[in-house]
Protein backbone atom coordinates (compact mmCIF):
# COMPACT_ATOMS: atom_id res chain seq x y z
CA UNK A 1 0.00 0.00 0.00
CA UNK A 2 1.25 3.51 -0.83
CA UNK A 3 2.02 6.34 1.54
CA UNK A 4 2.07 10.12 1.85
CA UNK A 5 5.64 11.42 2.19
CA UNK A 6 6.18 14.76 3.93
CA UNK A 7 9.31 16.83 4.46
CA UNK A 8 9.89 14.93 7.70
CA UNK A 9 8.47 11.44 7.96
CA UNK A 10 5.57 9.76 6.17
CA UNK A 11 2.16 8.19 6.78
CA UNK A 12 0.87 4.98 5.26
CA UNK A 13 -2.60 5.03 3.74
CA UNK A 14 -3.74 2.81 6.61
CA UNK A 15 -2.49 5.34 9.18
CA UNK A 16 -4.22 8.16 7.31
CA UNK A 17 -7.47 6.19 7.16
CA UNK A 18 -7.36 5.97 10.96
CA UNK A 19 -6.43 9.66 11.43
CA UNK A 20 -3.05 8.75 12.91
CA UNK A 21 -1.22 11.95 12.08
CA UNK A 22 0.11 14.82 14.16
CA UNK A 23 0.52 17.50 11.47
CA UNK A 24 -0.72 20.97 12.44
CA UNK A 25 0.19 22.80 9.22
CA UNK A 26 -3.17 23.83 7.65
CA UNK A 27 -2.19 22.71 4.12
CA UNK A 28 -0.92 19.30 5.22
CA UNK A 29 -3.80 18.72 7.63
CA UNK A 30 -6.42 19.64 5.02
CA UNK A 31 -4.75 17.35 2.46
CA UNK A 32 -4.57 14.45 4.88
CA UNK A 33 -8.24 14.92 5.87
CA UNK A 34 -9.23 14.65 2.20
CA UNK A 35 -7.17 11.46 1.85
CA UNK A 36 -8.79 10.06 5.01
CA UNK A 37 -12.28 10.78 3.67
CA UNK A 38 -11.37 9.12 0.38
CA UNK A 39 -9.97 6.03 2.07
CA UNK A 40 -13.10 5.78 4.21
CA UNK A 41 -15.27 5.66 1.08
CA UNK A 42 -16.74 9.18 1.04
CA UNK A 43 -18.80 9.57 -2.16
CA UNK A 44 -19.25 13.34 -2.61
CA UNK A 45 -16.65 16.12 -2.54
CA UNK A 46 -16.93 19.89 -2.87
CA UNK A 47 -14.51 21.59 -5.28
CA UNK A 48 -13.85 25.26 -6.09
CA UNK A 49 -13.74 26.41 -9.73
CA UNK A 50 -10.89 28.70 -10.78
CA UNK A 51 -13.04 31.70 -11.74
CA UNK A 52 -11.01 32.32 -14.91
CA UNK A 53 -14.11 33.05 -17.01
CA UNK A 54 -16.56 34.11 -14.34
CA UNK A 55 -17.25 34.17 -10.62
CA UNK A 56 -15.58 31.29 -8.73
CA UNK A 57 -18.11 28.77 -7.50
CA UNK A 58 -18.26 25.57 -5.52
CA UNK A 59 -19.48 22.40 -7.21
CA UNK A 60 -20.11 18.91 -5.87
CA UNK A 61 -18.24 16.08 -7.58
CA UNK A 62 -18.98 12.37 -7.23
CA UNK A 63 -16.20 9.98 -6.26
CA UNK A 64 -16.82 7.93 -9.42
CA UNK A 65 -15.92 10.92 -11.63
CA UNK A 66 -12.55 11.26 -9.94
CA UNK A 67 -11.89 7.52 -10.15
CA UNK A 68 -12.58 7.57 -13.90
CA UNK A 69 -10.30 10.58 -14.38
CA UNK A 70 -7.46 8.93 -12.48
CA UNK A 71 -7.78 5.72 -14.50
CA UNK A 72 -7.82 7.62 -17.82
CA UNK A 73 -4.58 9.43 -16.91
CA UNK A 74 -2.99 6.16 -15.80
CA UNK A 75 -3.93 4.50 -19.09
CA UNK A 76 -2.74 7.48 -21.17
CA UNK A 77 0.73 7.49 -19.61
CA UNK A 78 1.01 3.78 -18.82
CA UNK A 79 1.80 4.42 -15.15
CA UNK A 80 3.37 1.38 -13.50
CA UNK A 81 2.84 0.01 -9.96
CA UNK A 82 4.95 1.42 -7.11
CA UNK A 83 5.32 4.81 -8.81
CA UNK A 84 6.40 7.99 -7.01
CA UNK A 85 4.25 11.10 -7.47
CA UNK A 86 4.79 14.74 -6.53
CA UNK A 87 1.88 16.86 -5.29
CA UNK A 88 2.96 20.51 -5.05
CA UNK A 89 -0.35 22.22 -5.91
CA UNK A 90 -3.11 23.61 -3.72
CA UNK A 91 -5.25 20.70 -2.62
CA UNK A 92 -8.19 23.08 -2.22
CA UNK A 93 -8.38 23.11 -6.04
CA UNK A 94 -9.16 20.20 -8.36
CA UNK A 95 -5.61 19.84 -9.72
CA UNK A 96 -4.12 19.26 -6.27
CA UNK A 97 -6.94 17.00 -5.10
CA UNK A 98 -6.60 14.87 -8.22
CA UNK A 99 -2.89 14.35 -7.55
CA UNK A 100 -3.88 12.86 -4.20
CA UNK A 101 -6.63 10.77 -5.80
CA UNK A 102 -4.16 9.41 -8.37
CA UNK A 103 -1.79 8.31 -5.62
CA UNK A 104 -4.63 6.70 -3.67
CA UNK A 105 -6.11 4.98 -6.73
CA UNK A 106 -2.76 3.94 -8.21
CA UNK A 107 -1.54 2.74 -4.81
CA UNK A 108 1.51 4.95 -5.31
CA UNK A 109 3.75 6.91 -2.97
CA UNK A 110 3.22 10.68 -3.16
CA UNK A 111 5.47 13.44 -1.86
CA UNK A 112 3.27 16.24 -0.51
CA UNK A 113 4.78 19.75 -0.65
CA UNK A 114 2.94 22.98 0.14
CA UNK A 115 2.54 25.01 -3.08
CA UNK A 116 5.39 27.43 -3.63
CA UNK A 117 7.16 29.03 -6.59
CA UNK A 118 9.95 26.43 -6.66
CA UNK A 119 8.64 23.24 -5.04
CA UNK A 120 11.87 21.29 -5.73
CA UNK A 121 14.20 23.71 -3.96
CA UNK A 122 14.07 22.12 -0.51
CA UNK A 123 13.42 18.54 -1.60
CA UNK A 124 16.05 15.83 -1.33
CA UNK A 125 14.84 12.57 -2.82
CA UNK A 126 16.76 9.39 -3.56
CA UNK A 127 14.06 8.31 -6.03
CA UNK A 128 13.05 10.05 -9.23
CA UNK A 129 9.45 11.18 -9.66
CA UNK A 130 7.41 9.14 -12.13
CA UNK A 131 4.61 11.70 -12.39
CA UNK A 132 4.05 15.30 -11.31
CA UNK A 133 1.78 18.27 -12.04
CA UNK A 134 2.83 21.93 -11.90
CA UNK A 135 1.61 25.35 -12.95
CA UNK A 136 3.76 27.31 -15.46
CA UNK A 137 5.19 29.60 -12.78
CA UNK A 138 6.61 26.60 -10.91
CA UNK A 139 8.14 25.08 -14.04
CA UNK A 140 9.79 28.42 -14.91
CA UNK A 141 11.21 28.79 -11.38
CA UNK A 142 12.59 25.24 -11.38
CA UNK A 143 14.28 25.78 -14.75
CA UNK A 144 15.75 29.12 -13.66
CA UNK A 145 17.52 27.55 -10.68
CA UNK A 146 20.75 25.64 -11.29
CA UNK A 147 19.92 23.61 -8.20
CA UNK A 148 16.56 22.34 -9.47
CA UNK A 149 16.73 22.44 -13.30
CA UNK A 150 18.36 19.02 -13.39
CA UNK A 151 15.85 17.60 -10.91
CA UNK A 152 12.95 18.84 -13.02
CA UNK A 153 14.37 17.10 -16.09
CA UNK A 154 14.40 13.80 -14.19
CA UNK A 155 10.60 13.80 -13.79
CA UNK A 156 9.44 11.06 -16.14
CA UNK A 157 5.96 12.48 -16.86
CA UNK A 158 5.17 16.15 -16.15
CA UNK A 159 1.80 17.77 -16.80
CA UNK A 160 1.48 21.57 -16.79
CA UNK A 161 -1.79 23.46 -16.45
CA UNK A 162 -3.80 25.98 -14.48
CA UNK A 163 -2.70 28.94 -16.61
CA UNK A 164 -1.44 29.60 -20.15
CA UNK A 165 2.22 28.75 -20.82
CA UNK A 166 4.12 31.70 -22.26
CA UNK A 167 5.86 31.27 -25.66
CA UNK A 168 9.24 31.81 -23.97
CA UNK A 169 8.58 29.04 -21.43
CA UNK A 170 7.29 26.68 -24.14
CA UNK A 171 10.52 27.24 -26.05
CA UNK A 172 12.63 26.64 -22.95
CA UNK A 173 10.77 23.42 -22.10
CA UNK A 174 11.45 22.19 -25.63
CA UNK A 175 15.13 23.14 -25.47
CA UNK A 176 15.56 21.40 -22.10
CA UNK A 177 13.80 18.32 -23.53
CA UNK A 178 11.41 17.90 -20.61
CA UNK A 179 8.88 15.13 -21.06
CA UNK A 180 6.07 17.61 -20.45
CA UNK A 181 2.45 17.95 -21.52
CA UNK A 182 0.02 20.88 -21.57
CA UNK A 183 -3.34 20.03 -20.07
CA UNK A 184 -6.84 20.87 -21.25
CA UNK A 185 -9.66 20.55 -18.78
CA UNK A 186 -11.84 22.22 -16.19
CA UNK A 187 -13.25 21.57 -12.75
CA UNK A 188 -16.44 20.21 -14.33
CA UNK A 189 -14.38 17.42 -15.92
CA UNK A 190 -12.37 16.86 -12.70
CA UNK A 191 -8.98 17.80 -14.13
CA UNK A 192 -7.76 17.34 -17.69
CA UNK A 193 -9.55 15.51 -20.50
CA UNK A 194 -6.87 16.10 -23.14
CA UNK A 195 -3.08 16.49 -23.23
CA UNK A 196 -0.62 18.03 -25.69
CA UNK A 197 3.07 17.07 -25.80
CA UNK A 198 5.32 20.15 -25.60
CA UNK A 199 7.83 19.74 -28.41
CA UNK A 200 8.35 23.18 -29.93
CA UNK A 201 5.48 22.75 -32.39
CA UNK A 202 1.91 24.06 -32.22
CA UNK A 203 0.28 22.08 -29.38
CA UNK A 204 -2.02 19.32 -30.60
CA UNK A 205 -4.26 17.97 -27.85
CA UNK A 206 -5.14 14.29 -27.71
CA UNK A 207 -8.27 13.33 -25.80
CA UNK A 208 -7.93 10.87 -22.93
CA UNK A 209 -9.25 7.32 -23.48
CA UNK A 210 -13.07 7.17 -23.79
CA UNK A 211 -13.42 10.97 -24.16
CA UNK A 212 -15.43 12.00 -27.24
CA UNK A 213 -14.97 15.42 -28.86
CA UNK A 214 -16.62 17.53 -31.56
CA UNK A 215 -17.60 21.10 -32.40
CA UNK A 216 -20.86 23.02 -32.69
CA UNK A 217 -21.79 25.28 -35.61
CA UNK A 218 -19.65 28.08 -34.14
CA UNK A 219 -16.54 25.91 -33.90
CA UNK A 220 -16.78 25.57 -30.11
CA UNK A 221 -15.57 22.30 -28.60
CA UNK A 222 -18.00 19.90 -26.99
CA UNK A 223 -17.03 16.93 -24.84
CA UNK A 224 -18.59 13.60 -24.02
CA UNK A 225 -16.43 12.62 -21.07
CA UNK A 226 -17.31 9.86 -18.59
CA UNK A 227 -15.65 11.87 -15.78
CA UNK A 228 -18.05 14.82 -16.31
CA UNK A 229 -21.48 15.06 -14.68
CA UNK A 230 -23.07 16.25 -17.93
CA UNK A 231 -23.20 13.67 -20.69
CA UNK A 232 -22.70 16.37 -23.34
CA UNK A 233 -20.57 19.27 -22.10
CA UNK A 234 -20.51 22.33 -24.36
CA UNK A 235 -17.45 24.52 -23.85
CA UNK A 236 -16.76 28.07 -24.99
CA UNK A 237 -13.38 27.13 -26.48
CA UNK A 238 -12.81 27.55 -30.19
CA UNK A 239 -10.84 24.64 -31.65
CA UNK A 240 -9.72 23.09 -34.93
CA UNK A 241 -10.43 19.35 -34.99
CA UNK A 242 -7.80 16.90 -36.24
CA UNK A 243 -9.26 13.47 -36.77
CA UNK A 244 -11.54 11.91 -34.18
CA UNK A 245 -9.60 12.54 -30.97
CA UNK A 246 -7.26 15.51 -31.49
CA UNK A 247 -7.65 19.28 -31.69
CA UNK A 248 -5.76 22.56 -31.79
CA UNK A 249 -6.99 25.13 -29.26
CA UNK A 250 -7.66 28.56 -30.79
CA UNK A 251 -9.01 30.59 -27.86
CA UNK A 252 -12.11 31.45 -25.88
CA UNK A 253 -15.19 32.39 -27.88
CA UNK A 254 -16.18 34.89 -25.18
CA UNK A 255 -12.83 36.67 -25.60
CA UNK A 256 -13.31 37.10 -29.35
CA UNK A 257 -13.05 40.75 -30.40
CA UNK A 258 -15.13 42.06 -33.33
CA UNK A 259 -13.54 45.28 -34.53
CA UNK A 260 -15.21 46.71 -37.60
CA UNK A 261 -16.27 43.24 -38.72
CA UNK A 262 -12.78 41.78 -38.25
CA UNK A 263 -12.77 38.97 -35.67
CA UNK A 264 -9.64 38.81 -33.54
CA UNK A 265 -8.73 35.95 -31.18
CA UNK A 266 -6.60 37.52 -28.39
CA UNK A 267 -5.16 34.20 -27.25
CA UNK A 268 -3.83 33.50 -30.74
CA UNK A 269 -2.42 37.00 -31.26
CA UNK A 270 -0.84 37.34 -27.80
CA UNK A 271 1.97 34.78 -28.34
CA UNK A 272 2.78 36.48 -31.65
CA UNK A 273 3.17 39.84 -29.89
CA UNK A 274 5.09 38.47 -26.90
CA UNK A 275 8.61 39.08 -28.24
CA UNK A 276 7.89 42.70 -29.20
CA UNK A 277 6.14 43.52 -25.91
CA UNK A 278 9.02 41.95 -24.00
CA UNK A 279 11.48 44.13 -25.89
CA UNK A 280 9.82 47.32 -24.60
CA UNK A 281 8.45 46.04 -21.27
CA UNK A 282 10.74 43.19 -20.13
CA UNK A 283 9.22 40.69 -17.69
CA UNK A 284 5.82 42.42 -17.82
CA UNK A 285 2.70 40.29 -18.24
CA UNK A 286 0.10 41.53 -20.72
CA UNK A 287 -3.12 40.62 -22.46
CA UNK A 288 -5.30 41.89 -25.31
CA UNK A 289 -8.86 43.01 -24.78
CA UNK A 290 -11.42 45.41 -26.23
CA UNK A 291 -13.22 48.61 -25.36
CA UNK A 292 -16.47 49.86 -26.87
CA UNK A 293 -15.92 52.12 -29.85
CA UNK A 294 -18.47 54.25 -31.73
CA UNK A 295 -16.79 53.64 -35.10
CA UNK A 296 -15.66 50.00 -34.93
CA UNK A 297 -18.03 48.62 -32.30
CA UNK A 298 -15.01 47.34 -30.40
CA UNK A 299 -11.41 48.49 -30.49
CA UNK A 300 -8.40 46.35 -29.69
CA UNK A 301 -6.40 47.42 -26.61
CA UNK A 302 -3.21 46.14 -25.03
CA UNK A 303 -3.15 45.93 -21.22
CA UNK A 304 0.29 45.73 -19.61
CA UNK A 305 1.25 45.02 -16.01
CA UNK A 306 3.64 47.85 -15.13
CA UNK A 307 4.06 50.03 -12.05
CA UNK A 308 4.06 53.25 -14.11
CA UNK A 309 1.97 54.22 -17.16
CA UNK A 310 4.94 54.83 -19.47
CA UNK A 311 3.20 56.40 -22.46
CA UNK A 312 6.35 57.23 -24.46
CA UNK A 313 7.50 53.60 -24.41
CA UNK A 314 3.95 52.50 -25.15
CA UNK A 315 3.87 54.74 -28.23
CA UNK A 316 7.17 53.27 -29.46
CA UNK A 317 5.82 49.78 -28.83
CA UNK A 318 2.74 50.41 -30.99
CA UNK A 319 4.93 51.78 -33.77
CA UNK A 320 6.99 48.59 -33.73
CA UNK A 321 3.85 46.43 -33.83
CA UNK A 322 2.62 48.41 -36.86
CA UNK A 323 5.82 47.50 -38.72
CA UNK A 324 5.19 43.79 -38.26
CA UNK A 325 1.42 43.27 -38.20
CA UNK A 326 -1.62 44.06 -40.31
CA UNK A 327 -3.31 47.28 -39.23
CA UNK A 328 -6.37 45.37 -37.95
CA UNK A 329 -4.13 43.53 -35.45
CA UNK A 330 -2.49 46.63 -34.03
CA UNK A 331 -3.91 47.74 -30.64
CA UNK A 332 -5.45 51.21 -30.74
CA UNK A 333 -4.06 52.07 -27.32
CA UNK A 334 -2.03 50.73 -24.39
CA UNK A 335 -3.48 50.60 -20.87
CA UNK A 336 -1.54 49.94 -17.67
CA UNK A 337 -2.32 48.14 -14.42
CA UNK A 338 0.32 48.24 -11.68
CA UNK A 339 -0.47 44.77 -10.31
CA UNK A 340 -2.66 42.33 -12.23
CA UNK A 341 -5.51 40.65 -10.39
CA UNK A 342 -5.38 36.88 -10.79
CA UNK A 343 -7.73 33.99 -10.14
CA UNK A 344 -7.01 31.52 -7.30
CA UNK A 345 -5.33 29.22 -9.85
CA UNK A 346 -3.02 32.02 -11.04
CA UNK A 347 -4.68 33.00 -14.32
CA UNK A 348 -4.89 36.67 -15.28
CA UNK A 349 -8.42 37.92 -14.58
CA UNK A 350 -8.98 39.77 -17.85
CA UNK A 351 -12.30 41.37 -17.04
CA UNK A 352 -11.27 42.66 -13.62
CA UNK A 353 -7.98 44.10 -14.90
CA UNK A 354 -9.65 45.76 -17.87
CA UNK A 355 -12.08 47.46 -15.50
CA UNK A 356 -9.15 48.74 -13.44
CA UNK A 357 -7.31 49.98 -16.52
CA UNK A 358 -10.21 51.90 -18.08
Amino acid sequence: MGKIILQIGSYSFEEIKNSLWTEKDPYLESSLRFCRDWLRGEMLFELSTSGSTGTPKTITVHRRQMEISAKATKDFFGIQPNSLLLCCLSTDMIAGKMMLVRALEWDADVVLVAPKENPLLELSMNREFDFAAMVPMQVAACLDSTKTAGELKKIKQLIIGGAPISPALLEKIGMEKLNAYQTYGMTETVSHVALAKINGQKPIYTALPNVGIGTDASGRLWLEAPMAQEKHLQTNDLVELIGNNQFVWLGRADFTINSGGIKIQPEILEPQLAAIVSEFFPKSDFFLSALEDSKFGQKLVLVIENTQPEQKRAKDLLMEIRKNFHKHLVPKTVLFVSDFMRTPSGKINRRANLNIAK
Side-chain angles (χ1 to χ4, degrees):
M1 181 174 275
K3 58 182 176 290
I4 303 287
I5 302 170
L6 309 179
Q7 296 284 64
I8 301 176
S10 63
Y11 296 98
S12 70
F13 290 167
E14 190 64 31
E15 288 173 319
I16 294 168
K17 184 177 181 180
N18 293 305
S19 300
L20 299 178
W21 68 76
T22 58
E23 303 303 321
K24 300 301 181 185
D25 176 87
Y27 170 77
L28 297 177
E29 195 172 18
S30 173
S31 302
L32 292 170
R33 279 201 307 271
F34 171 79
C35 293
R36 178 198 61 194
D37 293 344
W38 184 274
L39 290 165
R40 290 181 177 180
E42 190 74 38
M43 299 305 291
L44 298 175
F45 299 89
E46 288 191 345
L47 302 175
S48 299
T49 64
S50 68
S52 57
T53 58
T55 304
K57 59 184 178 181
T58 299
I59 64 172
T60 300
V61 173
H62 195 278
R63 177 191 187 93
R64 184 61 183 151
Q65 295 175 252
M66 301 168 88
E67 290 173 339
I68 292 170
S69 176
K71 183 179 185 306
T73 298
K74 182 181 181 182
D75 292 345
F76 184 96
F77 286 112
I79 302 293
Q80 298 300 309
N82 303 314
S83 293
L84 179 65
L85 280 55
L86 171 64
C87 178
C88 56
L89 302 171
S90 169
T91 51
D92 288 336
M93 308 295 287
I94 183 58
K97 274 190 169 60
M98 279 307 303
M99 282 304 302
L100 298 177
V101 170
R102 291 174 191 126
L104 295 163
E105 286 297 295
W106 301 349
D107 203 13
D109 292 345
V110 57
V111 175
L112 183 58
V113 180
K116 59 185 71 173
E117 189 171 359
N118 189 333
L120 301 180
L121 204 52
E122 297 172 11
L123 278 183
S124 56
M125 298 294 301
N126 296 323
R127 292 169 59 190
E128 295 178 1
F129 290 108
D130 296 290
F131 186 84
M134 293 186 183
V135 296
M137 177 186 70
Q138 292 175 318
V139 176
C142 290
L143 286 175
D144 286 343
S145 167
T146 54
K147 184 177 178 181
T148 57
E151 294 303 309
L152 186 71
K153 289 187 227 181
K154 291 179 184 176
I155 297 176
K156 295 175 184 175
Q157 310 280 5
L158 174 66
I159 60 174
I160 308 171
I165 306 175
S166 71
L169 182 55
L170 284 171
E171 184 179 358
K172 195 166 187 178
I173 290 169
M175 287 175 58
E176 297 291 348
K177 294 183 169 54
L178 300 183
N179 192 31
Y181 292 76
Q182 283 182 269
T183 65
Y184 175 86
M186 58 208 75
T187 305
E188 290 81 356
T189 60
V190 292
S191 190
H192 54 264
V193 288
L195 294 154
K197 184 81 167 68
I198 301 174
N199 55 13
Q201 307 298 317
K202 180 181 287 188
I204 297 176
Y205 288 90
T206 300
L208 292 185
N210 300 316
V211 173
I213 61 172
T215 55
D216 67 3
S218 301
R220 298 180 306 160
L221 179 71
W222 55 255
L223 302 163
E224 291 182 350
M227 60 282 288
Q229 286 182 338
E230 297 179 43
K231 182 180 179 183
H232 184 92
L233 183 61
Q234 179 64 61
T235 78
N236 224 9
D237 291 304
L238 298 169
V239 303
E240 175 190 341
L241 292 180
I242 302 174
N244 295 324
N245 72 331
Q246 292 185 313
F247 63 89
V248 174
W249 184 78
L250 302 178
R252 295 279 303 179
D254 48 352
F255 292 157
T256 301
I257 296 166
N258 189 332
S259 184
I262 304 295
K263 290 187 177 180
I264 302 167
Q265 296 299 335
E267 291 152 313
I268 295 178
L269 184 55
E270 285 162 358
Q272 299 171 23
L273 293 177
I276 298 177
V277 175
S278 179
E279 181 182 340
F280 289 86
F281 293 91
K283 298 183 179 179
S284 289
D285 282 334
F286 74 94
F287 66 93
L288 294 168
S289 191
L291 294 175
E292 290 185 13
D293 184 81
S294 57
K295 181 179 180 181
F296 297 103
Q298 288 183 309
K299 66 177 181 180
L300 183 66
V301 297
L302 174 62
V303 185
I304 298 177
E305 185 179 34
N306 204 58
T307 53
Q308 298 295 327
E310 301 184 46
Q311 299 300 343
K312 173 62 170 64
R313 251 201 300 171
K315 185 177 179 182
D316 293 340
L317 167 61
L318 293 180
M319 287 179 62
E320 188 63 25
I321 294 174
R322 287 190 193 98
K323 294 177 186 176
N324 295 276
F325 289 84
H326 190 280
K327 64 180 182 179
H328 295 304
L329 302 180
V330 179
K332 297 294 186 288
T333 188
V334 177
L335 304 174
F336 292 95
V337 175
S338 60
D339 189 19
F340 275 170
M341 293 182 65
R342 286 173 167 78
T343 68
S345 60
K347 298 177 186 175
I348 294 172
N349 190 322
R350 293 171 182 251
R351 291 190 180 92
N353 287 306
L354 181 63
N355 287 334
I356 294 170
K358 286 180 182 178

